[in-house]
């Protein structure tokens, strides 16, 4: 037996676009596709012989998006229409679709006035929540933000606030998208409804938006969402470290959208009654909110695991002086404040990594001309060195010019006179080991002989033993 | 207020009430209205459904029988009053205009 081919198409019709939807379905019938079911986003078709089918798309306000099979009111309504020559095809939300069984089927709705009222009622039902609640919430959110006495609009300062505030920011942006879309929808509806009221007062029938105009309006409807998204990206200014903020906002939104879609798709196929659907929707909604909170907090932790690295020697000044040195006195600055004149940077690497404790790795390999080499060597000679070198170090493979070290790391400058080169290295960490694998970035000949500050090094082991002894029962 | 809603009955409303002067099943009302008006007035199934609902809520008609989805209705005394009021209004209109417009018809 031949199983008829099936087709799924993406289509989004608003409650006041019954005319456009009817035209769409009739066009599809002419192409050989008969509607079997539909949801908010998708239309499902079955292949037939191309033919003329007359559809009627009605708005039945007693139906609800929570009905997966027609409720009793809707069933009664369907019976009336069947008697008048209309076969019920499918209903989703307040849309009810019929197909004519005879050429002279009586139009389902003969009171134009009542038709407009039904659509208006349905639009209010659909949008009341968003339109009433959102402005209230925006006002409350802004008031709270202002009361925190932080009047700057700097997003990075937002991150200094508590976790809950960040979550509010995420939810706020999600609502902003929805609200922008709803506002656009309702505005278009109000303009159309005003025109129709005028027509009715002149005893003219309702004129629905055509299919062509519907496609044009789709573009207009997407605009507020695109505008808000662009505004978001401009405000947040995703830079080297800022992409996680974008992911933090977009991630939960996508998660929400996918979850809602899967949810409504499977619910509508399950065929349960309205009460159970509402219970499942509410429970599912709560589950989704919890999931979003978990994802948001997870993203927050990911964001706190900061990592910044660069091999771009042009950024040397910023990274060294602003990021690292800060307030360290000049006499202890083994690394030059900026790349000295008369030198060629052979190699440079900067990394800041903070999975739990801050770790730094800075490596600078400069080739000098004769005059500059002397000058720099003299400068380094002035620096007060402490030669309390730890972590297994027994010496250096090149001439040591200056060094400072402690249990929290080492910084030094060594000279390779043959190559007319000075190599500067800084390895800094906490808790007796570094999470940055410096051997990957610094050639062995420039590392101290015997030096080991990687996880599991001797000093860390010694520390662990002492800690264990202290914890062990006496 | 339900009473004010029906100050003036529209033609479809009038014919539906007329049809319900005798007990009638909801679904058959459409045909009856067409019969009574000689095919001039057409009421769609959606319109009938909504109208019956409103009429029942306002006490203009009442449901006499309910067998599954088949429901039967009959006009109430209040409904008859509405019809009579509307009928006499139409009569007044007719008698007032008859002399003036008769020659033109």
């Amino acid at each position: 037996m031949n199983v008829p081919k099936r087709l799924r198409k993406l289509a989004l019709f608003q409650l006041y676009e019954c005319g456009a939807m009817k035209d769409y379905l009739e066009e599809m019938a002419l192409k050989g596709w008969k509607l079997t079911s539909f949801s908010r986003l998708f239309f499902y078709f079955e292949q037939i012989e191309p033919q003329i089918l007359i559809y009627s798309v009605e708005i039945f306000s007693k139906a609800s998006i929570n009905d997966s099979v027609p409720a009793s009111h809707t069933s009664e309504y369907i019976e009336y229409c069947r008697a008048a020559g209309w076969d019920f095809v499918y209903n989703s939300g307040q849309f009810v679709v019929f197909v004519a069984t005879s050429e002279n089927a009586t139009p389902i709705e003969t009171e134009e006035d009542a038709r407009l009222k039904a659509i208006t009622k349905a639009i209010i039902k659909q949008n009341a929540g968003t339109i009433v609640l959102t402005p209230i919430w925006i006002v409350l959110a802004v008031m709270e933000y202002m009361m925190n006495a932080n009047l700057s609009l700097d997003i990075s300062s937002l991150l200094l606030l508590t976790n809950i505030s960040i979550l509010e920011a995420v939810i706020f942006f999600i609502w902003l998208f929805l609200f922008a879309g709803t506002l656009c929808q309702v505005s278009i509806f109000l303009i159309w409804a005003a025109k129709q009221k005028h027509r009715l007062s002149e005893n003219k029938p309702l004129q629905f938006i055509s299919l062509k105009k519907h496609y044009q309006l789709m573009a207009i409807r997407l605009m507020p969402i695109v505008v808000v998204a662009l505004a978001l990206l401009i405000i947040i200014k995703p830079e080297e470290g800022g992409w996680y903020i974008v992911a933090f906002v977009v991630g939960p939104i996508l998660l929400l959208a996918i979850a809602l879609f899967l949810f409504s798709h499977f619910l509508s196929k399950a065929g349960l009654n309205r009460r159970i659907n509402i219970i499942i929707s509410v429970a599912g909604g709560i589950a989704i909110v919890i999931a979003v909170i978990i994802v948001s907090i997870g993203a927050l932790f990911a964001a706190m695991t900061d990592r910044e690295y660069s091999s771009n020697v042009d950024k040397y000044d910023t990274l060294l002086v602003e990021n690292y040195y800060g307030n360290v006195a000049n006499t202890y600055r083994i690394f030059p404040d900026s790349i000295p004149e008369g030198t060629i940077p052979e190699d440079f690497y900067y990394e800041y990594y903070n999975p739990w404790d801050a770790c730094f790795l800075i490596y600078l390999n400069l080739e000098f001309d004769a005059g500059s080499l002397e000058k720099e060597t003299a400068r380094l000679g002035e620096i007060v060195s402490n030669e309390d070198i730890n972590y297994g170090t027994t010496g250096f493979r090149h001439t040591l010019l200056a060094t400072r070290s402690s249990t929290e790391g080492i910084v030094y400058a060594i000279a390779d006179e043959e190559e007319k080169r000075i190599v500067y290295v800084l390895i800094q960490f906490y808790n007796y080991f570094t999470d940055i694998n410096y051997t990957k970035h610094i050639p062995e000949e420039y590392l101290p002989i015997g030096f080991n500050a990687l996880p599991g090094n001797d000093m860390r082991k010694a520390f662990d033993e002492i800690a264990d002894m202290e914890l062990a029962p006496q | 207020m339900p009473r004010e809603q029906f100050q003036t009955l529209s033609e479809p409303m009038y014919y539906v009430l007329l049809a319900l002067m005798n007990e009638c099943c909801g679904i058959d009302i459409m045909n009856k209205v067409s019969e009574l008006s000689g095919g001039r007035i057409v009421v769609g199934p959606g319109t009938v459904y909504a109208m019956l609902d409103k009429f029942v809520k306002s006490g203009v008609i009442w449901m006499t029988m309910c067998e599954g989805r088949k429901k039967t209705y009959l006009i109430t005394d209040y409904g008859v009053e509405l019809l009579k009021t509307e009928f006499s209004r139409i009569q007044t209109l007719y008698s007032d205009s008859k002399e003036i417009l008769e020659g033109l018809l």
Side-chain angles (χ1 to χ4, degrees), chain A residues 338-349:
Chain A
S338 57
I339 306 292
E341 284 211 12
T343 64
I344 300 168
E346 272 287 315
D347 205 354
F348 170 67
Y349 185 73

Side-chain angles (χ1 to χ4, degrees), chain A residues 141-432:
Chain A
V142 170
M143 271 170 61
E144 189 196 320
Y145 191 56
M146 298 295 232
M147 287 199 297
N148 280 337
N150 185 351
L151 293 174
S152 78
L153 279 175
D154 183 13
I155 294 291
S156 61
S157 72
L158 235 183
L159 290 175
L160 293 173
L161 300 174
T162 63
N163 288 4
I164 296 173
S165 296
I166 295 173
L167 190 62
E168 276 182 349
V170 169
I171 297 176
F172 175 77
F173 283 121
I174 295 174
W175 263 108
L176 202 63
F177 281 119
L178 293 175
F179 185 61
T182 304
L183 210 62
C184 193
Q185 264 343 325
V186 172
S187 308
I188 297 174
F189 166 70
L190 287 173
I191 295 170
W192 175 81
K195 276 197 202 141
Q196 298 316 305
K197 264 201 136 162
H198 186 70
R199 283 182 70 91
L200 289 177
S201 69
E202 293 179 348
N203 275 326
K204 291 185 190 160
L206 294 179
Q207 188 180 46
F208 285 100
I209 291 168
S210 70
L211 190 59
K212 187 174 167 193
K213 186 128 193 241
H214 159 76
Y215 289 129
Q216 289 169 349
L217 285 175
M218 287 288 276
I220 297 178
R221 281 187 198 118
L222 286 173
M223 272 206 308
I225 297 172
V226 170
V227 165
V228 171
L230 280 175
L232 209 71
L233 284 172
I234 291 169
I235 294 170
I236 288 176
K237 272 197 271 272
E239 292 164 330
E240 254 183 50
W243 278 106
Y244 66 81
I245 300 176
V246 175
F248 195 42
V249 171
V250 171
I253 293 174
L254 275 177
L255 188 76
L256 205 73
I258 293 169
L260 281 172
F261 163 67
L262 287 172
F263 212 60
S264 63
H265 182 77
F266 289 117
L267 257 191
S268 65
K269 294 289 173 200
L272 305 160
N273 74 35
R274 189 189 292 193
R275 198 186 298 173
I276 296 182
N277 279 344
I278 293 177
I279 292 171
I280 294 178
S281 299
V282 169
I286 293 171
I288 288 170
V289 168
I290 292 172
V292 168
I293 290 174
I294 291 171
V295 165
S296 306
I297 293 176
L300 183 69
F301 272 116
M304 273 163 47
T305 305
D306 231 336
R307 187 161 178 253
E308 194 185 348
Y309 61 93
S310 178
S311 310
N312 185 357
V313 75
D314 291 332
K315 288 191 169 174
Y316 178 81
D317 290 14
T318 321
L319 292 171
L320 250 295
V321 179
E322 286 177 27
N323 277 30
Y324 177 74
Y325 268 132
N327 294 323
V328 174
N330 272 339
T331 46
Y332 295 135
R333 291 194 192 180
I334 289 178
F335 276 73
D337 280 354
S338 57
I339 306 292
E341 284 211 12
T343 64
I344 300 168
E346 272 287 315
D347 205 354
F348 170 67
Y349 185 73
Y350 168 94
E351 183 171 343
Y352 162 72
Y353 181 43
N354 187 351
W356 196 257
D357 290 315
C359 300
F360 281 96
L361 172 66
I362 311 178
Y363 164 61
L364 180 65
N365 183 334
L366 290 178
E367 202 182 292
F368 285 78
D369 64 32
S372 338
L373 183 62
E374 232 180 86
K375 194 174 167 194
E376 180 68 1
T377 309
R379 179 186 80 83
L380 288 167
E382 297 289 307
I383 291 175
V384 178
S385 294
N386 74 329
E387 297 196 8
D388 179 23
I389 301 171
N390 291 314
Y391 295 95
T393 306
T394 53
F396 291 85
R397 294 180 184 87
H398 293 278
T399 311
L400 183 66
L401 295 175
T403 179
R404 293 197 62 79
S405 68
S406 68
T407 53
E408 284 168 2
I410 186 171
V411 54
Y412 58 88
I414 48 177
D416 181 351
E417 284 100 349
E418 260 182 49
E419 304 269 313
K420 292 201 179 20
R421 180 188 303 287
I422 297 183
V423 171
Y424 306 78
V425 174
L426 180 146
I427 301 173
Q428 185 182 302
F429 44 87
Y430 294 99
N431 282 321
Y432 305 97

Side-chain angles (χ1 to χ4, degrees), chain B residues 43-82:
Chain B
V43 211
T47 311
V48 168
Y49 175 86
M51 215 186 275
L52 291 175
D53 200 43
K54 254 200 262 176
F55 280 162
V56 165
K57 285 192 175 127
S58 325
V60 177
I61 63 176
W62 64 289
M63 198 189 318
T64 56
M65 205 162 52
C66 181
E67 285 171 3
R69 280 202 210 113
K70 185 174 172 185
K71 293 178 179 170
T72 324
Y73 301 90
L74 181 65
I75 197 167
T76 59
D77 290 339
Y78 169 56
V80 173
E81 283 306 310
L82 279 180

